[in-house]
Amino acid sequence: MYKDFEGRTETEALSKAREELGLENDDVYVEILEQVKKGLFKKSYVKIRVYYGEDDENEEDDNNISSPSLEPENENERKLIAFLTELISKMGYEGKVQISSRKDNKISLKIESDDSNILIGRKGRNLDAIQLLANVYIGHFDEDVKVVVDTENYRKRHEEQIIRSAYRAAEYVRKSGRSKLLEPMNPFERRLVHTSLNDVEGVDTKSEGEGLYKQVRIIPLKRKDNN
């Protein structure tokens, strides 16, 4: 289950959540949905989503986290699990790596760790780096295999947050007639935005910038005059 809270700071919003839901520090998983820093004509504002208890409405997510893991099918998969386990250990943390799903040439791995928040990192950067190393490693044995690494079901929640933010931004662009530049994203995240807004009337999208982390600009489309 989850519920959204607002406040001037993340601490204030989290305090409201703990007071209303009667939760302790270890009982919550917090996701920042929106954050506005204080400026000349605007006040600071934070909106967070607090996950707590068990989510009966999202059994698929729960199954991804708690479902029985799959056994390695071959030596390459055993080497991959051993590689990631050692990588996490050398980072200074403990974690158990398991196969959560296997389909065609895609293998999904989940990391169970008390340090999941650190392994995820800011905006998932640490998790992306771990996944990149996993793909480079398995590429030495099988170039056709794609590896997805996740922990605490972060990727699905992050994808949902990106889509929600993209729709909100698109609505702003449609109403204001002004383009909006989103925060830097990796190629997968940008593709998610482009795909999600592809059928939204009145807006178009394009990527701007150089390097891996580019930005998506949402652009208003001028309405055609039938006269």
Side-chain angles (χ1 to χ4, degrees):
M1 295 180 289
Y2 65 81
K3 189 170 183 179
D4 298 345
F5 294 88
E6 301 175 1
R8 290 172 296 180
T9 64
E10 182 181 351
T11 300
E12 180 179 298
L14 188 54
S15 295
K16 291 181 180 179
R18 290 191 179 121
E19 181 178 354
E20 179 173 330
L21 302 175
L23 301 174
E24 300 294 335
N25 291 359
D26 296 334
D27 294 333
V28 297
Y29 183 93
V30 179
E31 177 184 356
I32 298 179
L33 300 179
E34 189 175 355
Q35 186 171 23
V36 176
K37 294 184 178 179
K38 185 176 181 179
L40 183 59
F41 299 107
K42 57 185 178 183
K43 298 180 180 179
S44 59
Y45 163 82
V46 175
K47 183 176 183 179
I48 65 173
R49 172 159 295 173
V50 176
Y51 295 86
Y52 63 98
E54 297 184 1
D55 193 349
D56 296 329
E57 298 178 357
N58 202 337
E59 294 182 2
E60 181 179 351
D61 287 358
D62 289 342
N63 290 337
N64 284 340
I65 297 175
S66 60
S67 60
S69 60
L70 304 178
E71 293 296 326
E73 281 189 341
N74 50 55
E75 187 62 22
N76 287 349
E77 291 184 355
R78 283 188 282 273
K79 287 181 179 180
L80 177 61
I81 291 174
F83 169 76
L84 279 182
T85 302
E86 183 178 1
L87 174 63
I88 295 169
S89 176
K90 288 186 176 181
M91 292 172 63
Y93 307 104
E94 294 184 359
K96 183 178 182 181
V97 181
Q98 298 175 305
I99 300 175
S100 57
S101 68
R102 186 191 295 111
K103 184 177 181 181
D104 298 328
N105 291 328
K106 178 181 176 181
I107 179 172
S108 298
L109 303 178
K110 62 180 179 181
I111 303 173
E112 294 181 356
S113 173
D114 292 336
D115 301 298
S116 292
N117 287 340
I118 299 176
L119 295 178
I120 292 172
R122 178 173 173 77
K123 297 183 179 179
R125 298 289 174 86
N126 291 351
L127 194 61
D128 286 344
I130 293 172
Q131 180 172 288
L132 175 61
L133 291 174
N135 278 282
V136 171
Y137 179 81
I138 200 65
H140 293 302
F141 308 104
D142 192 338
E143 295 181 352
D144 295 327
V145 174
K146 177 182 168 100
V147 180
V148 176
V149 181
D150 201 2
T151 181
E152 297 292 340
N153 212 31
Y154 167 79
R155 293 201 181 280
K156 182 173 180 60
R157 290 200 299 267
H158 184 56
E159 289 173 18
E160 291 173 347
Q161 179 184 356
I162 289 175
I163 293 173
R164 286 194 301 270
S165 297
Y167 281 133
R168 285 199 300 266
E171 187 63 21
Y172 164 83
V173 170
R174 289 180 58 186
K175 290 182 177 180
S176 68
R178 301 176 181 176
S179 68
K180 185 173 180 63
L181 193 62
L182 305 182
E183 63 182 15
M185 301 179 185
N186 62 38
F188 173 79
E189 294 169 337
R190 294 197 304 274
R191 188 162 56 251
L192 194 61
V193 173
H194 292 310
T195 302
S196 300
L197 301 184
N198 187 50
D199 295 328
V200 176
E201 295 183 1
V203 300
D204 195 6
T205 61
K206 69 175 182 177
S207 294
E208 297 183 359
E210 302 293 335
L212 180 63
Y213 285 88
K214 299 178 182 178
Q215 293 176 272
V216 175
R217 183 179 293 278
I218 303 177
I219 308 163
L221 294 180
K222 293 182 179 180
R223 297 180 180 177
K224 295 182 179 180
D225 191 348
N226 296 325
N227 296 331

